[in-house]
Amino acid sequence: MNPCGACPVRSLTVCAALDPEELRRLADILQTVRIEANHTIFGEGDAADALYNVTSGTVKLYKLLPDGRRQITGFLITGDFIGLALNESYAYTAETVTGCTLCRFPRKKLEALLDEFPKMQRRLFSMASNELAAAQDQMLLLGRKTAKEKICSFLLMLSQRAARRGHKDNPVHVPMSRADIADYLGLTTETVSRTFTQLKTAGIISLQEGNKIQIAGMDALYDMAEGC
């Protein structure tokens, strides 16, 4: 059976533009891998010999600073692509936040197919452009916003991403740890925990089981994110 043809999230992935025959060609080179939570997919500096498509779960990307601190540069979810590299080695580490299922593509074989499938190449370029826009948004978060504005913006980002994938935008699924959120937003873990408590006390959010956060006041959260 063609695993791409039966994939329930194909419409979200780089494969969405392909016709059945192109999907069959792609299926011939992919390997489906299952990785448990808190495991490294690849490390910064490793040979960039494969690319990955997330079909379930959450992945974090990070770089280690010279002083040993960690800067998380992004969280990827279903439909996102990992491993694009201009050089022969990965520029960051990819690690699972939750248990994940991924499609693994050998880099050279996928690059050869991209030359044959311009539709897939264009979709990959579009996804890379979205990744650049997300990086620019994060620069704004890190440089110009207070701790509360950062947390509110982060929750809104997760809500909007869920909505774009056809899921409920509220409650928001937040599988990452407070330490992960801190390393993404440039805060301390204590500040992240304290800010969540403040938002909860103010009645803006409530914490639910299953790593979910119910946003009680979406407009209020948006105003806080924008510094109003």
Side-chain angles (χ1 to χ4, degrees), residues 70-92:
R70 182 184 67 165
Q71 176 63 57
I72 292 180
T73 59
F75 295 102
L76 304 185
I77 59 176
T78 301
D80 287 328
F81 209 71
I82 313 173
L84 293 173
L86 296 176
N87 301 314
E88 295 302 311
S89 59
Y90 297 115
Y92 50 83

Side-chain angles (χ1 to χ4, degrees), residues 4 6 18 75 79 113 118 121 138 140 162 178 194 213 219 226:
C4 297
L18 302 182
F75 295 102
L113 281 184
Q121 196 172 55
Q138 191 199 17
L140 175 63
R178 297 292 189 260
R194 184 169 61 250
I213 293 179
D219 290 341
E226 294 302 312

Side-chain angles (χ1 to χ4, degrees), residues 189-219:
T189 304
E190 292 76 14
T191 298
V192 170
S193 296
R194 184 169 61 250
T195 304
F196 273 117
T197 298
Q198 291 171 350
L199 293 173
K200 179 182 175 183
T201 302
I204 305 299
I205 65 171
S206 59
L207 307 183
Q208 299 187 341
E209 293 182 356
N211 297 317
K212 293 182 179 180
I213 293 179
Q214 179 75 38
I215 301 173
M218 191 68 79
D219 290 341

Side-chain angles (χ1 to χ4, degrees), residues 146-148 150-151 181-189 191-192 195:
T146 66
K148 185 174 290 186
K150 289 179 180 181
I151 295 293
I181 296 172
D183 286 349
Y184 178 68
L185 297 176
L187 302 170
T188 65
T189 304
T191 298
V192 170
T195 304

Side-chain angles (χ1 to χ4, degrees), residues 1 14 20 23 25 36 38 43 83 95 99 104 108 117 131 152 173 181 209-210:
M1 180 180 293
V14 71
L23 282 175
R25 294 276 306 281
E36 297 302 318
N38 304 312
E95 183 179 309
R104 182 185 186 276
K108 291 183 178 179
F117 302 157
E131 186 176 314
C152 293
H173 185 219
I181 296 172
E209 293 182 356

Side-chain angles (χ1 to χ4, degrees), residues 15-160:
C15 318
L18 302 182
D19 62 34
E21 175 57 24
E22 291 168 336
L23 282 175
R24 186 194 65 76
R25 294 276 306 281
L26 187 67
D28 286 343
I29 70 167
L30 75 81
Q31 175 190 10
T32 300
V33 294
R34 172 73 183 176
I35 303 178
E36 297 302 318
N38 304 312
H39 280 66
T40 299
I41 302 170
F42 57 77
E44 182 178 353
D46 288 352
D49 56 1
L51 296 93
Y52 300 83
N53 208 118
V54 183
T55 55
S56 71
T58 302
V59 175
K60 62 187 173 189
L61 309 179
Y62 67 86
K63 293 180 70 71
L64 292 178
L65 305 179
D67 60 5
R69 288 179 298 164
R70 182 184 67 165
Q71 176 63 57
I72 292 180
T73 59
F75 295 102
L76 304 185
I77 59 176
T78 301
D80 287 328
F81 209 71
I82 313 173
L84 293 173
L86 296 176
N87 301 314
E88 295 302 311
S89 59
Y90 297 115
Y92 50 83
T93 296
E95 183 179 309
T96 56
V97 174
T98 66
C100 292
T101 304
L102 308 101
C103 292
R104 182 185 186 276
F105 304 95
R107 181 179 177 180
K108 291 183 178 179
K109 290 183 179 180
L110 182 61
E111 288 174 346
L113 281 184
L114 288 175
D115 290 338
E116 294 186 48
F117 302 157
K119 291 180 293 185
M120 188 175 179
Q121 196 172 55
R122 286 194 295 270
R123 185 166 175 84
L124 195 59
F125 178 77
S126 175
M127 294 174 78
S129 298
N130 292 338
E131 186 176 314
L132 178 60
Q136 292 171 335
D137 288 342
Q138 191 199 17
M139 289 174 65
L140 175 63
L141 274 179
L142 294 178
R144 295 294 180 183
K145 294 201 171 191
T146 66
K148 185 174 290 186
E149 290 167 358
K150 289 179 180 181
I151 295 293
C152 293
S153 297
F154 178 70
L155 292 175
L156 287 172
M157 177 196 73
L158 295 180
S159 174
Q160 292 162 1

